[in-house]
Amino acid sequence: MRHVVTGEAVALELSSVSVITRGASLLLDLVVYWTAMALALVALGLTGTTLGVSEAAAAALTLTTVVGFLVITPVAVETLSRGRSVGKLAFGIRVVRDDGGGVRFRHCLIRGLTGFAEIYLTLGLLPLLTGVFTERGKRLGDVMAGTYAIRVRHLSVRPMMLPVPPSMAAWAQIADIGRLPDDLAAGAARLLSTVQGGGRKVDMAAVTDVSDRLAADIVTYVAPAPPTTSSVEFLSAVMAERRNREYQRLRLKQDRAESLHRRLHTLPYT
């Protein structure tokens, strides 16, 4: 998880994409663009043969087609989709600016022009090396344009429905539970979902080991300190109380909206 500070001094948690995922996305894009270009060249060849186009005109059309499909089309697609492409869409990633904002035409143009040289002239070796040795897995085009790729599609986590353990109920009512980082909250939710639905197939030794690590990180976000209990019960209490408080907050917000709606519709219209 990468922390990005925007121009308004707001810290965002954006998960950057691994080099392997970016490479797979790029490979899918290349397959799409090269297939489309090959079909276009075949169509141009058949048309040129039929119309009797000169060799110079055929060479110019071929060069235009190659540049169009390998440079202009990728730039246009990324610009219009705000950092997406066929490969990025398939793998759930998007290109954004270093401050987390959406990319514009100039970013896509720099990426497209640089990408043509670094991908084709070095056979993909340069993007691989820069992706390994840069902090966010950037290729040279990202470094020059000030962009990087983030993951916008995450694995769904089934809601955790475990209640607050009775031994932790009194503590949970008075506990000050701070905002947990997304990765910690998701990890605890996955663990508790496994405990909830696993039955006897769950490896409790592994569950205890993971829950101990998560509890050691989450305990720093709560006050006062919890009573002595197992790490699984502590995680259950924290996550269930967070769920209950969020439900109460949303329910109160809905009640206020419904009350305002009733008041507005009972006022006389003039």
Side-chain angles (χ1 to χ4, degrees):
M1 190 73 68
R2 304 294 184 183
H3 293 271
V4 177
V5 179
T6 67
E8 292 77 20
V10 177
L12 303 177
E13 292 183 348
L14 302 177
S15 55
S16 57
V17 182
S18 66
V19 176
I20 296 176
T21 304
R22 293 204 63 178
S25 170
L26 175 61
L27 181 61
L28 180 56
D29 284 335
L30 293 180
V31 170
V32 172
Y33 293 138
W34 276 84
T35 301
M37 183 182 67
L39 293 176
L41 290 175
V42 171
L44 286 176
L46 295 176
T47 304
T49 302
T50 303
L51 300 179
V53 179
S54 63
E55 293 184 1
L61 288 175
T62 301
L63 179 61
T64 302
T65 302
V66 172
V67 173
F69 277 98
L70 300 186
V71 179
I72 299 176
T73 300
V75 171
V77 169
E78 280 199 359
T79 302
L80 296 176
S81 62
R82 303 299 298 273
R84 306 298 292 272
S85 65
V86 175
K88 295 179 181 64
L89 186 64
F91 286 89
I93 63 180
R94 179 190 296 273
V95 175
V96 297
R97 302 195 306 263
D98 283 340
D99 62 358
V103 293
R104 300 184 181 276
F105 171 72
R106 60 185 179 88
H107 304 101
C108 300
L109 181 61
I110 295 174
R111 282 172 43 81
L113 294 177
T114 309
F116 181 81
E118 65 174 319
I119 294 173
Y120 297 110
L121 298 184
T122 67
L123 300 179
L125 181 61
L126 183 57
L128 176 62
L129 293 177
T130 55
V132 170
F133 291 105
T134 53
E135 182 182 4
R136 295 173 180 169
K138 296 184 175 186
R139 63 177 178 85
L140 183 60
D142 290 312
V143 175
M144 297 180 64
T147 58
Y148 74 109
I150 64 171
R151 188 177 301 279
V152 295
R153 187 172 65 233
H154 302 273
L155 295 176
S156 59
V157 179
R158 191 174 63 176
M160 191 279 297
M161 301 305 295
L162 292 175
V164 177
S167 60
M168 302 285 290
W171 172 83
Q173 292 179 359
I174 64 172
D176 180 11
I177 303 175
R179 185 182 183 279
L180 300 180
D182 293 339
D183 54 345
L184 280 181
R190 284 193 292 266
L191 176 71
L192 295 175
S193 297
T194 301
V195 174
Q196 179 183 4
R200 296 181 179 179
K201 299 179 180 179
V202 176
D203 184 355
M204 291 308 299
V207 168
T208 302
D209 182 61
V210 175
S211 64
D212 288 343
R213 293 200 303 268
L214 289 172
D217 293 331
I218 292 178
V219 74
T220 59
Y221 293 90
V222 302
T228 302
T229 185
S230 67
S231 57
V232 174
E233 287 192 344
F234 168 68
L235 294 179
S236 299
V238 171
M239 299 301 293
E241 187 62 25
R242 288 177 76 248
R243 178 198 63 209
N244 295 340
R245 293 180 184 181
E246 182 66 14
Y247 173 78
Q248 293 173 1
R249 185 186 69 81
L250 294 176
R251 184 62 183 268
L252 181 60
K253 182 179 180 180
Q254 182 180 3
D255 291 343
R256 289 176 177 174
E258 292 176 354
S259 175
L260 178 61
H261 183 269
R262 288 193 299 268
R263 290 179 58 188
L264 289 175
H265 283 73
T266 54
L267 292 177
Y269 292 94
T270 59

